Amino acid sequence: VDREAWIRALERSLEAEAVSTAPGDLQAVSHDESDLPGVLPACTCRPRTTAEVAAVIRVAMEHGVPVTVRGGGSGLEGGAIPLAGGIVLDLSRMDGVLAVSPDERVVVAQPGVTHDRLNRLLRSTGLHFPPSPGGSGDVATLGGMVSTDASGLYSLRHGGTRRWVRGLEAVTGTGEVLRVGGRVPKSSAGYDLKDLLVGSEGTLGVVTEVTLGLEPLPAGFVRATLAFPTIEEACEAAAEMAGYVPELAAVELADRETMEALRALPGLGDVPGEDLLMIEAQGRPGECAAGREAALEVAAAHGGQVVEEIGDPWALRHRMTRTLREAAHPAGVARTDCAVPLPALARFVNEIKSLAAAGGTAQTPRRAYVFGHAGVGIVHCLMPLGGAGSWTPDEARAARDSLAARAVALGGTVSGEHGIGLGQRDLLALEHPDGIAWMRRLKAIFDPRGILNPGKVL
Amino acid sequence: VDREAWIRALERSLEAEAVSTAPGDLQAVSHDESDLPGVLPACTCRPRTTAEVAAVIRVAMEHGVPVTVRGGGSGLEGGAIPLAGGIVLDLSRMDGVLAVSPDERVVVAQPGVTHDRLNRLLRSTGLHFPPSPGGSGDVATLGGMVSTDASGLYSLRHGGTRRWVRGLEAVTGTGEVLRVGGRVPKSSAGYDLKDLLVGSEGTLGVVTEVTLGLEPLPAGFVRATLAFPTIEEACEAAAEMAGYVPELAAVELADRETMEALRALPGLGDVPGEDLLMIEAQGRPGECAAGREAALEVAAAHGGQVVEEIGDPWALRHRMTRTLREAAHPAGVARTDCAVPLPALARFVNEIKSLAAAGGTAQTPRRAYVFGHAGVGIVHCLMPLGGAGSWTPDEARAARDSLAARAVALGGTVSGEHGIGLGQRDLLALEHPDGIAWMRRLKAIFDPRGILNPGKVL
């Protein structure tokens, strides 16, 4: 009865067809790209304006209904799964680019704009929004990237999304519209509410507008794929390059196991089955050449050499994770998202390999696909949950917990870029044993009724 | 009676001689570098450890005594003035550099370490902490820079202090020790408590340890001083250079009025009395040359040309503000600290000049010295409060209010880098009319008794 009451209240608040209870619509928003089990919401709302978002939140407040905000659904830790049912607030219709100011290097956009679309629209200005969610850029939205502080390939040079967010508009869990930050690159005016909302995964407020700083497109770039005799050598070279070759904008790692699995799949071209680094130097031609040369020198000192035949490494890199998951392991995978300080990178990757080797059998060893943004110490490990070399869910969970603890002990983080969401919730206290109580206090201020994305992050 | 009780409690908590009520000690911490009136505290505490800081906070909590934290005392908005008396927590003895990890590009230090000392100690590693507080680097401490998110000369390339802070330890107003952030460059683990403490000016917690990211010293640099026919042309050239010459790390503005006043003083060498930009390009020799050439082309299009005779422009720049204040206007000055978007820079500077011209007399027009970090739109205006061309305090306050409102209307900020402190407290609501209520709620969580730097920021 109450459900019908609040759904009717939503229908009165939003324009026609913005509220749906159709089974197909509910199914479509029940999950993200993780292999965590989906949950059906009671309804979806697809607002077009901030006022409509605020209206949804007010109805939710009044009736105590959970609200889970959703961007492109490309999250990997269940952040968009409507764990407690209720309303999925799907922002895909809020997809307007509201203002581009090239002389200010600023764009103002709604949260439903995708990463790739924004950068396509900006191309004629010679500017771009540098953080890249890799192969998910066609679906990942600005709102989603802001919510997880997404980083990706170019985080070595450009940091995460946070660095590029100058201002936000958000609707808090109290139904209030709040504008934080601003347009200028630097301000010391009061507490930094903007960065509190960035990375809060829809648990403190619903982001309804973003103001982003932009940067000129690089004058040029060169890319190279380098093969190493061992994963340790690749990691050590990555750490050295990232530290000492300033022209590099990206240093990506993919291990032999990953590459061999991809090599076994049809349609990917000539994939080398080796421990790889894929690098990109950016700048004027002289800088690119200097960067490439310096990186190759570092590689050579670690037994690495250029793989000539691979072509553009990014074409492969962008498809890597999804292809591995979908073609090689349709039964699903578990993931890690740790980051460690660069000097500990090789040690940490060895830890992963040892954990994998400790299980399975001699005939079918457990598989642990290791890749990531080595230049900033972010290492993902994919553990297949079905088929040859698979892990049981308990084994994968134990490995994930053990690696997260190890990453923290090494001075790293349990989540480099995917966010805590649902999947990494029990890891947060490892890293922030004191901070977590303060995070709870902040949550209670911004969302006193606990309606915003309940069960996530904390 | 109660004062004696809590001072005795402090003396029991800290080592001998760490607590002082000597008039000279109280006088020394009663003010900062602003011309706001000083206030004497009841005592000073000079702790050496985090445990001692926590002990001071606990005594203060118990007795309801205000605690004002103090670094080098070089703040310009009264942030360190103990407005409500009580305790000044002077962190100058917490000056240890605890760990340097060159391969991680990380340093861990206590808050009392000065900017210049840190960079001197780091020199042998080839790394540095890039934000520069200009001429105050010899006294500005890391704690103070973190507390105001100080930026300065190199903010065009390196942003403010915030970008370089990876982790903090702080004692909150509840006496709890809280570690936030971490060591790695990127994490998406939970709410960003670190950035909430950065820039909070000692009102949410007392920073007791900082973990900073570092960067390799630039391979080289070239500097140049450029003179322009008008301040508008200088501003337009600055905006264009900052937007389109990526090799530039700094673009500084100083107007004719500033330069003429300096020129009239002895001992500064041959100072050109013109509207100037001072620039620095960083990188390998080719990049420096390309950056300088591109900047000179932009300048030429705005009638600007190189001033050959000036030598190193930074030698003058670093002394500019203090010299103006101390030698030319010993009766004191009022300041503005606004920033505006680059396309509005010339218009905003004209606004300042018009405000100045609207007062005074034909014989002694009011003086408004304009300079700042033009590359990020930060414009300071100094208004003398005594002598020829001076403003009454009311006139200066009215001008400051009017300019702050104008900056906000143009999409800028009331405080680019000095912080809100005491001096800009009534401007914060102009910029964050909604946010200020949320800031108050956060303050109530971190400092429920209101003992941390009361009367500041909010």
Side-chain angles (χ1 to χ4, degrees):
Chain A
V1 173
D2 187 51
R3 175 187 291 210
E4 279 174 29
W6 60 258
I7 289 182
R8 270 201 307 278
L10 290 173
E11 285 166 344
R12 280 194 301 273
S13 302
L14 271 62
E15 67 178 22
E17 294 176 55
V19 182
S20 171
T21 56
D25 289 344
L26 304 185
Q27 185 61 43
V29 300
S30 63
H31 59 277
D32 62 3
E33 284 206 12
S34 72
D35 287 302
L36 295 162
V39 176
L40 290 175
C43 78
T44 66
C45 292
R46 302 178 71 204
R48 287 191 190 276
T49 65
T50 301
E52 286 187 339
V53 171
V56 171
I57 301 291
R58 282 195 300 265
V59 169
M61 280 168 63
E62 200 177 316
H63 295 267
V65 182
V67 178
T68 302
V69 66
R70 183 178 184 86
S74 57
L76 293 168
E77 292 300 339
I81 294 176
L83 195 61
I87 300 165
V88 165
L89 194 54
D90 173 351
L91 299 187
S92 56
R93 281 186 184 170
M94 292 181 71
D95 64 349
V97 174
L98 307 177
V100 182
S101 176
D103 288 346
E104 267 180 273
R105 293 192 191 169
V106 158
V107 63
V108 182
Q110 287 187 305
V113 176
T114 64
H115 170 273
D116 288 2
R117 183 162 153 256
L118 178 70
N119 276 334
R120 260 196 320 274
L121 290 170
L122 289 172
R123 189 168 291 270
S124 65
T125 65
L127 298 169
H128 71 145
F129 167 56
S132 161
S136 301
D138 54 337
V139 287
T141 62
L142 301 180
M145 291 185 71
V146 167
S147 292
T148 54
D149 185 16
S151 43
L153 261 67
Y154 295 114
S155 40
L156 172 59
R157 171 157 297 182
H158 296 300
T161 299
R162 180 184 302 287
R163 187 190 290 179
W164 301 90
V165 179
R166 295 200 179 168
L168 292 175
E169 179 193 75
V171 180
T172 64
T174 60
E176 290 163 272
V177 178
L178 175 59
R179 296 194 73 93
V180 296
R183 285 177 81 95
V184 286
K186 180 65 187 51
S187 168
S188 287
Y191 304 156
D192 182 5
L193 300 174
K194 183 269 281 183
D195 281 306
L196 191 54
L197 289 171
V198 174
S200 66
E201 305 188 39
T203 65
L204 300 180
V206 176
V207 172
T208 49
E209 189 186 290
V210 300
T211 301
L212 301 173
L214 303 172
E215 192 168 89
L217 285 160
F221 61 84
V222 295
R223 295 170 181 164
T225 304
L226 306 163
F228 291 81
T230 64
I231 186 79
E232 289 94 335
E233 295 285 6
C235 287
E236 278 161 20
E240 208 172 313
M241 284 177 200
Y244 298 99
V245 185
E247 293 86 357
L248 291 181
V251 177
E252 294 287 304
L253 173 76
D255 79 337
R256 191 179 302 264
E257 206 154 351
T258 303
M259 298 314 297
E260 279 172 354
L262 292 172
R263 193 180 168 85
L265 296 171
L268 286 177
D270 194 4
V271 174
E274 294 175 89
D275 293 306
L276 300 183
L277 292 183
M278 306 174 191
I279 62 166
E280 177 172 323
Q282 292 181 351
R284 307 189 192 218
E287 293 168 72
C288 288
R292 185 179 193 275
E293 192 183 335
L296 265 53
E297 263 176 44
V298 171
H302 292 277
Q305 46 188 322
V306 175
V307 183
E308 297 292 356
E309 68 269 31
I310 195 172
D312 182 358
W314 279 191
L316 179 64
R317 176 68 187 86
H318 283 337
R319 298 174 59 188
M320 213 166 77
T321 322
R322 261 193 225 173
T323 304
L324 254 186
R325 160 69 184 74
E326 287 166 17
H329 296 287
V333 297
R335 293 164 202 271
T336 70
D337 175 37
C338 303
V340 294
L342 288 180
L345 189 61
R347 213 182 328 162
F348 185 68
V349 169
N350 270 333
E351 196 96 10
I352 300 176
K353 294 297 179 184
S354 308
L355 268 172
T361 65
Q363 286 71 40
T364 57
R366 288 199 304 212
R367 288 185 184 163
Y369 303 109
V370 174
F371 52 89
H373 314 304
V376 290
I378 296 179
V379 181
H380 300 303
C381 166
L382 247 58
M383 296 170 275
L385 296 174
S390 69
W391 306 56
T392 68
D394 281 350
E395 285 171 344
R397 196 172 309 113
R400 188 205 59 163
D401 293 357
S402 155
L403 290 171
R406 189 75 188 128
V408 169
L410 290 167
T413 176
V414 300
S415 175
E417 56 175 4
H418 293 167
I420 294 297
L422 178 59
Q424 309 207 82
R425 205 175 38 164
D426 50 337
L427 303 178
L428 185 58
L430 282 177
E431 184 172 343
H432 295 297
D434 309 323
I436 203 162
W438 293 92
M439 294 180 197
R440 289 212 174 89
R441 288 168 207 165
L442 297 176
K443 168 77 174 172
I445 287 191
F446 282 86
D447 180 24
R449 293 172 194 233
I451 57 172
L452 293 183
N453 211 358
K456 306 300 171 57
V457 183
L458 296 171
Chain B
V1 175
D2 187 51
R3 173 185 293 211
E4 278 174 30
W6 59 258
I7 290 181
R8 269 201 309 277
L10 290 173
E11 285 167 344
R12 280 194 302 272
S13 303
L14 271 64
E15 66 178 21
E17 294 176 55
V19 182
S20 170
T21 55
D25 290 342
L26 304 186
Q27 186 62 43
V29 300
S30 63
H31 59 277
D32 62 4
E33 285 206 11
S34 72
D35 286 303
L36 295 162
V39 176
L40 290 174
C43 78
T44 65
C45 293
R46 302 180 70 205
R48 288 192 190 274
T49 65
T50 301
E52 286 186 340
V53 171
V56 170
I57 301 291
R58 282 194 301 267
V59 169
M61 280 167 64
E62 199 177 319
H63 296 266
V65 181
V67 178
T68 302
V69 65
R70 184 180 183 86
S74 57
L76 293 169
E77 292 300 340
I81 295 175
L83 195 61
I87 300 164
V88 164
L89 193 54
D90 172 351
L91 300 188
S92 57
R93 281 185 185 171
M94 291 181 71
D95 64 349
V97 174
L98 307 177
V100 182
S101 176
D103 289 345
E104 267 181 274
R105 293 191 191 171
V106 159
V107 62
V108 182
Q110 287 186 306
V113 175
T114 65
H115 169 274
D116 288 1
R117 184 164 152 253
L118 178 69
N119 277 332
R120 260 196 321 274
L121 289 171
L122 289 172
R123 189 168 291 269
S124 65
T125 65
L127 298 168
H128 71 144
F129 168 56
S132 160
S136 302
D138 55 335
V139 286
T141 62
L142 301 181
M145 290 185 73
V146 167
S147 292
T148 54
D149 185 17
S151 43
L153 262 67
Y154 295 114
S155 40
L156 172 58
R157 171 156 298 181
H158 296 301
T161 300
R162 180 183 303 288
R163 187 190 290 178
W164 301 90
V165 179
R166 296 201 179 166
L168 293 174
E169 179 192 75
V171 180
T172 65
T174 60
E176 290 161 273
V177 178
L178 175 60
R179 297 194 74 93
V180 296
R183 285 177 81 96
V184 285
K186 180 63 186 53
S187 168
S188 287
Y191 305 155
D192 182 6
L193 300 174
K194 183 269 280 183
D195 281 306
L196 191 55
L197 289 171
V198 174
S200 66
E201 306 187 39
T203 65
L204 299 180
V206 176
V207 171
T208 49
E209 189 186 290
V210 300
T211 302
L212 301 173
L214 304 171
E215 191 167 90
L217 285 159
F221 61 83
V222 296
R223 295 169 181 163
T225 303
L226 306 163
F228 290 81
T230 65
I231 185 82
E232 289 93 336
E233 295 285 5
C235 288
E236 278 160 21
E240 208 172 313
M241 284 176 200
Y244 299 98
V245 185
E247 293 86 358
L248 291 181
V251 178
E252 294 287 305
L253 173 77
D255 79 337
R256 191 180 303 264
E257 205 154 351
T258 303
M259 299 312 297
E260 279 172 355
L262 293 172
R263 193 179 167 85
L265 297 172
L268 285 177
D270 194 3
V271 174
E274 294 174 87
D275 293 306
L276 299 183
L277 291 183
M278 307 175 190
I279 62 167
E280 177 172 324
Q282 291 181 351
R284 306 189 191 218
E287 293 166 74
C288 288
R292 185 179 193 275
E293 193 183 336
L296 264 54
E297 263 175 44
V298 172
H302 292 275
Q305 47 189 320
V306 174
V307 183
E308 298 291 356
E309 68 269 30
I310 196 174
D312 182 0
W314 279 190
L316 179 64
R317 177 67 187 88
H318 282 337
R319 297 173 60 187
M320 215 167 75
T321 322
R322 258 191 227 175
T323 305
L324 255 185
R325 160 71 184 76
E326 286 167 15
H329 296 286
V333 296
R335 294 164 202 271
T336 72
D337 175 36
C338 303
V340 294
L342 288 181
L345 188 62
R347 212 181 330 161
F348 185 69
V349 169
N350 269 334
E351 196 96 10
I352 300 176
K353 295 295 179 186
S354 307
L355 268 172
T361 66
Q363 287 72 40
T364 57
R366 288 198 304 211
R367 288 186 183 161
Y369 303 108
V370 173
F371 52 89
H373 315 304
V376 291
I378 296 178
V379 181
H380 301 303
C381 166
L382 246 59
M383 296 170 275
L385 295 173
S390 68
W391 307 55
T392 69
D394 282 349
E395 286 170 344
R397 196 173 309 113
R400 188 206 59 163
D401 292 356
S402 156
L403 291 171
R406 189 74 188 129
V408 169
L410 291 167
T413 175
V414 301
S415 174
E417 56 175 4
H418 293 167
I420 295 298
L422 177 60
Q424 309 207 82
R425 204 174 40 163
D426 49 339
L427 303 179
L428 185 58
L430 282 179
E431 183 171 344
H432 295 296
D434 308 323
I436 204 162
W438 293 92
M439 294 180 197
R440 289 212 174 88
R441 289 170 206 164
L442 297 176
K443 168 78 174 172
I445 286 190
F446 281 86
D447 180 25
R449 294 173 193 233
I451 56 172
L452 292 183
N453 211 357
K456 307 298 172 60
V457 183
L458 295 171

